[in-house]
Amino acid sequence: MMPRIGVVTFPGSLDDRDAQRAIRRADGEPVALWHADHDLQDVEAIVLPGGFSYGDYLRPGAIAAVSPIMTEVVAAANRGLPVLGICNGFQVLVESHLLPGGLIRNAHQQFIRRDQKLIVENADTAWTHRFQPGEEIVIPLKNGDGGYIANDETLKYLEGEGLVAFRYAGVNPNGSLNDIAGLTNERGNVVGLMPHPEHAVEAGFGPDTPDAMRSGIDGLRFFESAVEALVARAA
């Protein structure tokens, strides 16, 4: 059977259907989860998608972090369930204290949309093990509040423990400290990043590559990593 991976829809989610499609392309079974429910429907992993949950009121991700479904997501993540937070989902993970630090307005105070080069820093997580450490990939980026911040002690902890999952390459698009584009927790089951891997899963619809326009599919390996790990666990 295909692994069941839940995708949470909050009011204001924009990329939940894209995340579901990415899961299908990785041979997983997407399961729609609703923000107001407490039922995770026995899923084996969860994606928190991009968008503007609850209109980004207070702070991006702040209200979503205390929604009913997140009570269950946090508990499941603490038990080891794989959780991927994409853009607004990364903000929700930070606001839920599943990952440290915070996300603030981009340094240039403008929304940015671009195909972004990333360096894979940690390839030993449930969502990244199909990458190689130091590998350069290209993933679409679109955000207005993507500047990662943390105090000096937290940054030293993240760097010292190898918990930076991805770093911006070529250009830092939003002023994130240490060029941080994504993080993982110590256990490696929770990963959050600002770029959108679900928008780079099918040739013809992804970033440009030297081979052809719109042919980039680096994002597919996020979802293949999770599916592969879940299949291996069930074997």
Side-chain angles (χ1 to χ4, degrees):
M1 294 180 63
M2 295 187 293
R4 290 164 49 84
I5 301 178
V7 179
V8 178
T9 297
F10 301 99
S13 292
L14 298 180
D15 299 299
D16 44 347
R17 296 296 182 90
D18 301 79
Q20 291 176 20
R21 176 172 165 272
I23 291 165
R24 289 191 193 95
R25 292 197 59 79
D27 294 327
E29 178 186 349
V31 178
L33 301 176
W34 184 238
H35 72 110
D37 294 339
H38 282 280
D39 184 5
L40 295 183
Q41 300 186 40
D42 296 320
V43 297
E44 300 164 78
I46 292 173
V47 176
L48 304 178
F52 302 90
S53 59
Y54 297 90
D56 277 353
Y57 293 121
L58 300 181
R59 294 181 308 276
I63 299 177
V66 294
S67 65
I69 196 73
M70 285 305 297
T71 301
E72 312 306 327
V73 172
V74 169
N78 287 332
R79 293 193 301 268
L81 192 83
V83 179
L84 175 67
I86 302 170
C87 196
N88 187 230
F90 183 17
Q91 295 162 341
V92 175
L93 290 177
V94 168
E95 292 287 343
S96 302
H97 306 295
L98 286 171
L99 293 174
L103 282 306
I104 63 172
R105 193 70 179 166
N106 292 345
H108 46 68
Q109 301 296 303
Q110 295 181 351
F111 189 92
I112 189 168
R113 180 180 63 84
R114 57 176 287 128
D115 291 339
Q116 178 65 49
K117 292 180 181 179
L118 303 176
I119 298 298
V120 179
E121 296 284 345
N122 188 322
D124 191 26
T125 81
W127 300 94
T128 64
H129 65 85
R130 288 182 63 87
F131 296 105
Q132 295 297 318
E135 181 179 357
E136 183 178 282
I137 62 176
V138 179
I139 302 293
L141 174 76
K142 51 177 187 176
N143 65 71
D145 297 90
Y148 181 76
I149 59 170
N151 61 31
D152 289 343
E153 181 179 354
T154 299
L155 289 173
K156 289 178 182 178
Y157 160 71
L158 293 172
E159 298 288 359
E161 297 298 323
L163 302 183
V164 176
F166 299 94
R167 222 179 290 271
Y168 295 116
V171 63
N172 183 329
N174 44 36
S176 292
L177 297 180
N178 292 20
D179 297 326
I180 292 172
L183 300 174
T184 180
N185 64 348
E186 290 185 357
R187 195 168 182 172
N189 63 303
V190 177
V191 171
L193 75 164
M194 288 309 298
H196 287 258
E198 77 280 14
H199 295 326
V201 299
E202 184 175 2
F205 300 92
D208 294 342
T209 73
D211 296 326
M213 293 177 60
R214 315 302 296 170
S215 63
I217 58 170
D218 288 336
L220 184 60
R221 280 185 281 168
F222 285 79
F223 304 96
E224 290 177 335
S225 292
V227 168
E228 183 178 275
L230 294 171
V231 169
R233 182 187 300 176

